[in-house]
Amino acid sequence: QVQLVESGGGLVQPGGSLRLSCAASGSISSIDAMGWFRQAPGNQRQLVARVTSGGNTYYTDSVKGRFTISRDNAKNTVYLQMNSLKPEDTADYYCNAVLRYDSGSPSFSYWGQGTQVTVSS
């Protein structure tokens, strides 16, 4: 069984910073990509940032220049450094991993249970 364990959420003032962490564990042969999604009340879940096993990164336009995604492949862990936070960043943040159990298997998508980020004065 694969598990994604998230941490780092909380309450922060506008302009502040938080760092989210997500560690994948279980029977994993390889991870194609790990990323972060967020969902605010009344909104669809959207991709915030993603990093592939090869190090390629993607950011949604609204967080470019403020958020940085990084990975530690040896630990199957992904981080999201969130700087210059704005109230509109308030949401539940979900870790996602696309992984394979072995080299001949198709990829599977797994989700963390979410961590709350609230940006408010």
Side-chain angles (χ1 to χ4, degrees), residues 28-39:
I28 301 171
S29 176
S30 63
I31 299 178
D32 292 344
M34 297 186 74
W36 294 91
F37 291 71
R38 68 185 181 187
Q39 186 170 19

Side-chain angles (χ1 to χ4, degrees), residues 57-86:
T57 59
Y58 164 86
Y59 300 93
T60 192
D61 287 343
S62 62
V63 308
K64 288 180 179 177
R66 299 188 297 119
F67 292 9
T68 302
I69 190 168
S70 61
R71 77 199 192 283
D72 185 336
N73 288 338
K75 298 180 179 179
N76 289 333
T77 299
V78 65
Y79 307 93
L80 186 66
Q81 179 66 46
M82 309 165 66
N83 297 327
S84 301
L85 283 162
K86 304 175 180 180

Side-chain angles (χ1 to χ4, degrees), residues 43-61:
N43 294 102
Q44 294 183 331
R45 187 173 297 185
Q46 65 169 155
L47 176 64
V48 178
R50 174 180 286 160
V51 60
T52 69
S53 60
N56 295 322
T57 59
Y58 164 86
Y59 300 93
T60 192
D61 287 343

Side-chain angles (χ1 to χ4, degrees), residues 4-43:
L4 302 180
V5 180
E6 304 173 14
S7 63
L11 174 65
V12 66
Q13 294 184 357
S17 298
L18 287 172
R19 190 178 79 155
L20 306 183
S21 299
C22 175
S25 63
S27 182
I28 301 171
S29 176
S30 63
I31 299 178
D32 292 344
M34 297 186 74
W36 294 91
F37 291 71
R38 68 185 181 187
Q39 186 170 19
N43 294 102

